[in-house]
Amino acid sequence: MAALLWQTGGGAGILGSPLVMMVIVMAIFYVMLIVPQQRQRKKTQAMLAAIKNGDKVVTSSGIYGTVNGIDGDTVILKIADQVKIRILRSAIAQVEAEENVS
């Protein structure tokens, strides 16, 4: 088998084949582009699933607020005194880190 791989029968060998090079390039694209996107998507879904009342969040449009209620795919966000808005859960970009005041 190894002798077959090392033979160069008039061509550039097995590594010079355009098909093999295309497979190698596709594998590199998969590792560098698709795998990190899947990890980021899983991380975002886990963050959105863990949202609870009282969490301080930032929406994708830049609105800061506190989660006041959760109703399925929507979240009631308190952005000021007596001001509440209903947004999609997927519009939340990040959850602010809680500060431990001791």
Side-chain angles (χ1 to χ4, degrees), residues 61-82:
S61 59
I63 298 173
Y64 286 78
T66 304
V67 175
N68 200 19
I70 300 173
D71 183 28
D73 286 341
T74 61
V75 174
I76 299 171
L77 197 64
K78 182 177 179 182
I79 56 174
D81 290 335
Q82 303 297 321

Side-chain angles (χ1 to χ4, degrees), residues 34-75:
I34 297 172
V35 171
Q37 286 177 350
Q38 290 175 342
R39 286 183 186 149
Q40 183 65 30
R41 187 173 356 112
K42 285 181 184 178
K43 183 178 174 183
T44 302
Q45 287 175 345
M47 182 261 310
L48 291 176
I51 291 176
K52 61 188 180 305
N53 286 342
D55 283 348
K56 294 184 181 193
V57 298
V58 180
T59 66
S60 57
S61 59
I63 298 173
Y64 286 78
T66 304
V67 175
N68 200 19
I70 300 173
D71 183 28
D73 286 341
T74 61
V75 174

